[in-house]
Amino acid sequence: MTLHPFTRRAALASGAALATTAVLASCGGDGDEVDTLDQIENPDENITPEGMPIVKEKITIDFLSARPSTTAEDWNEVSVIKATEELTNIHIDFGLVPQDGAAERRNLALSSGDYPSAFYRNGIGTGDLATYGERGTFIPLNDLLEQHMPNLTALMEASPQIREGLTFPDGNIYSTPQIYDPSFPGLRYMFKLFARQDWLDRFGMAVPETTEEFEAYLEEAVNTIDGAIGLTDPVNLGETYPTLYGTFGVANQGTAAGQIDLDPDTGAVRYFPLSDGYREMMTYLHGLYSKGLIPADIFSSDRATFTAQGSDGLIAACSTAAPAGYFGAEGENYVVLPPLVTEAGNTPVWHAVRSELASIGHFVMTDRCEHPVALARWMDYWYSEEGARQFFLGNEGDSWEEVDGEYKLLPEITDGQSVDDGLKPHSIFMGGSYPGWVTQRWFGGVESMPQAMESSQAMEPYAIPEVWSAFTFTPEESDVLGTVGAEIGKYLAESRAGFITGQLPLSEWDTFAQTLEEIGLSEFMEIQQAAYDRRQ
């Protein structure tokens, strides 16, 4: 396997070129001048002081929005958006662009200076948030949160980690988040390891608790059942790695910070792919692959293949939220495994815990916004119980009804079609990457299915108590992470596949570590340590 080191010199040159381009681009633009900050301090008389509608006379606010293909082609024709416009008296020109091309359109708009009042569902990264926030293109939401967004503020007060993860080193908040209710285990402990209970019974085996027992089960399945596939998942083992983090003692602060955790010996931040535990995990997965217990084409497979194989009853073990959500009746044959241990008698621990602050950058207001207070109140509505319920379920009577205190989708929503297809005329949450508040009460995805909930609840007793949200960085730090950090991530992915398949021998571990250093790991880790220190 040929791996291509990215030198520190090349990274710096690339970063400098990008920075120069960004500065030059920011000097252009022919958009109208708007005193957005003055409007925050002195909102116009059209805005009502509280309650609905938000404005007396209807206004229109322009967005640039990333549209997932699973949502309606025109969001203004969706019943919940129509109802919200009638409620608030605000018409949103969503400016829909395909999700796959949204980042390019956003960057073009920002570089030309012809950008809208807000970016919606764009998943803007922390680097751009820091850079455009410092320039004043993205406006701070601090005052708007304090004065006009009581619903989101209440959620942040209930969970200080949310405010902590949204706040940049300059003290500002530039976007609104996607929040996972901490009492919703289906989302907090999303990916688990499952095995077929009927095959375990057939082999006279108990549910595996150790890595050795799990390997023995996979061997029995692959060697005795015609066409059986050992361990697989929908995204090239991307959902399997987290299920083994606790087993091998890495990612000890959860999954939101990427490949960063705390060194148990020093208390400093650690790049855990260089740890002994991570190397042991690679060794274990290579052993499974070399015996044919992981499909040979795992790194070129896809979700459709995974679903088809599982629906045909061929998969012995998989990592996912709930097999029943993908395999139908075949998925009901699976049982969740406890966190595996490397030796019998070890204490199981579960590290694959997601932060309550699931992600940021999905709603950003710009200095072109003529109605910042009205827009802040519109956005805050979706963080209220009524608004969040509408966002995920649509309008009561159109797509759902309340039965014995629970929200039930109407039969016509689910009969003969998926929930996403049934809700398409009524909601726009499908496809993810939205700002909002997700709880089990109104979220109808795979993660809320009984199998997902029961298996997630089984992980709770083993879950680590402290979970980080993703770090935020200064513009200067973000420049480095955008170049050096990106190349480190690319090289790690290549190396991981190489270690597992054997194309990169594990005997070359020192070369792997040296190459990371040549790319710029030391500076990368200095930035991570600085971000962690700011959190403290």
Side-chain angles (χ1 to χ4, degrees):
M1 182 176 187
T2 303
L3 301 176
H4 303 285
F6 186 82
T7 66
R8 175 78 181 111
R9 180 176 298 175
L12 288 172
S14 175
L18 288 171
T20 301
T21 301
V23 169
L24 290 174
S26 70
C27 295
D30 53 2
D32 297 332
E33 292 296 324
V34 177
D35 195 342
T36 303
L37 297 180
D38 180 67
Q39 280 293 315
I40 294 174
E41 295 177 5
N42 304 290
D44 63 57
E45 295 181 356
N46 189 39
I47 298 174
T48 60
E50 59 183 11
M52 295 294 176
I54 292 173
V55 291
K56 302 167 190 174
E57 300 294 330
K58 181 172 286 191
I59 60 173
T60 296
I61 302 178
D62 62 319
F63 283 14
L64 190 152
S65 305
R67 184 186 79 85
S69 60
T70 47
T71 62
E73 292 187 8
D74 183 355
W75 287 357
N76 288 117
E77 293 302 313
V78 174
S79 63
V80 71
I81 299 300
K82 289 181 176 180
T84 307
E85 179 172 333
E86 184 175 342
L87 176 71
T88 63
N89 222 11
I90 297 174
H91 174 76
I92 301 297
D93 178 358
F94 281 102
L96 296 176
V97 298
Q99 190 175 45
D100 290 345
E104 183 178 354
R105 288 287 297 274
R106 180 183 74 244
N107 291 337
L108 179 62
L110 288 168
S111 64
S112 68
D114 185 16
Y115 49 84
S117 298
F119 292 99
Y120 185 69
R121 294 185 72 168
N122 269 244
I124 299 174
T126 57
D128 280 346
L129 290 174
T131 298
Y132 287 104
E134 184 180 72
R135 294 177 186 173
T137 305
F138 298 161
I139 65 170
L141 303 180
N142 305 44
D143 291 342
L144 290 168
L145 282 162
E146 182 178 346
Q147 300 172 30
H148 304 291
M149 304 182 75
N151 297 306
L152 179 52
T153 297
L155 291 171
M156 292 194 295
E157 289 175 351
S159 179
Q161 183 191 73
I162 296 172
R163 182 183 294 275
E164 176 184 78
L166 284 172
T167 303
F168 277 74
D170 62 4
N172 289 323
I173 293 174
Y174 294 108
S175 73
T176 68
Q178 185 179 78
I179 299 171
Y180 289 161
D181 186 334
S183 65
F184 188 177
L187 280 177
R188 296 296 307 286
Y189 317 112
M190 181 180 288
F191 305 127
K192 288 85 57 179
L193 192 56
F194 292 87
R196 288 190 67 123
Q197 181 67 66
D198 54 340
W199 289 7
L200 287 166
D201 293 342
R202 175 175 172 178
F203 305 148
M205 291 181 166
V207 173
E209 296 181 355
T210 69
T211 51
E212 184 178 359
E213 291 169 353
F214 181 57
E215 183 173 349
Y217 160 70
L218 295 177
E219 285 190 277
E220 190 71 20
V222 169
N223 293 331
T224 62
I225 296 179
D226 187 36
I229 296 165
L231 170 64
T232 187
D233 77 14
V235 287
N236 316 135
L237 295 182
E239 295 181 6
T240 295
Y241 303 132
T243 69
L244 296 174
Y245 282 165
T247 305
F248 293 97
V250 299
N252 54 39
Q253 303 296 309
T255 59
Q259 312 301 310
I260 305 300
D261 68 0
L262 271 187
D263 190 319
D265 296 324
T266 67
V269 296
R270 175 180 70 166
Y271 187 68
F272 68 73
L274 285 180
S275 69
D276 292 341
Y278 185 84
R279 182 174 183 173
E280 290 168 6
M281 186 172 84
M282 291 295 100
T283 302
Y284 179 67
L285 290 171
H286 171 65
L288 298 184
Y289 185 92
S290 66
K291 294 181 178 180
L293 306 182
I294 293 175
D297 63 349
I298 188 64
F299 292 106
S300 60
S301 188
D302 55 29
R303 189 172 293 274
T305 301
F306 170 77
T307 301
Q309 292 170 339
S311 300
D312 289 341
L314 299 176
I315 295 176
C318 61
S319 302
T320 189
Y326 300 99
F327 307 157
E330 281 291 339
E332 298 293 345
N333 291 314
Y334 289 81
V335 61
V336 70
L337 305 189
L340 296 178
V341 295
T342 54
E343 295 183 16
N346 287 358
T347 302
V349 63
W350 188 250
H351 288 183
V353 184
R354 303 172 86 187
S355 170
E356 295 170 47
L357 180 62
S359 53
I360 68 176
H362 301 304
F363 171 81
V364 173
M365 198 181 299
T366 77
D367 60 351
R368 295 285 165 78
C369 184
E370 297 180 354
H371 309 284
V373 172
L375 180 54
R377 290 183 59 193
W378 180 90
M379 188 65 250
D380 190 58
Y381 173 71
W382 301 111
Y383 291 98
S384 69
E385 181 150 342
E386 178 185 357
R389 185 174 62 231
Q390 274 189 289
F391 185 76
F392 290 103
L393 295 176
N395 303 318
E396 185 175 10
D398 288 340
S399 50
W400 65 275
E401 60 184 350
E402 188 171 350
V403 179
D404 297 328
E406 295 186 3
Y407 309 129
K408 301 289 186 182
L409 294 174
L410 298 178
E412 55 265 35
I413 300 299
T414 55
D415 286 353
Q417 60 186 342
S418 69
V419 171
D420 283 6
D421 286 341
L423 285 175
K424 195 171 184 178
H426 304 288
S427 177
I428 63 169
F429 81 89
M430 294 76 74
S433 297
Y434 47 76
W437 173 30
V438 190
T439 85
Q440 183 188 354
R441 285 172 288 167
W442 47 66
F443 183 74
V446 170
E447 296 83 2
S448 64
M449 294 180 64
Q451 187 184 56
M453 291 295 295
E454 292 167 9
S455 59
S456 296
Q457 288 165 352
M459 298 301 107
E460 277 191 297
Y462 309 106
I464 49 177
E466 181 179 352
V467 178
W468 286 343
S469 58
F471 294 158
T472 54
F473 305 97
T474 67
E476 294 75 20
E477 291 169 342
S478 298
D479 285 344
V480 176
L481 297 181
T483 52
V484 175
E487 288 303 316
I488 286 174
K490 179 182 177 182
Y491 178 68
L492 176 66
E494 292 178 353
S495 303
R496 187 164 50 202
F499 286 138
I500 292 170
T501 61
Q503 291 180 283
L504 178 62
L506 284 155
S507 59
E508 295 186 17
W509 188 265
D510 290 345
T511 302
F512 163 67
Q514 181 181 348
T515 302
L516 284 169
E517 191 59 41
E518 291 172 355
I519 294 173
L521 183 64
S522 290
E523 185 174 11
F524 175 84
M525 290 307 299
E526 287 174 6
I527 291 171
Q528 301 293 334
Q529 184 68 53
Y532 172 72
D533 291 342
R534 285 193 294 264
R535 283 278 177 92
Q536 305 313 302

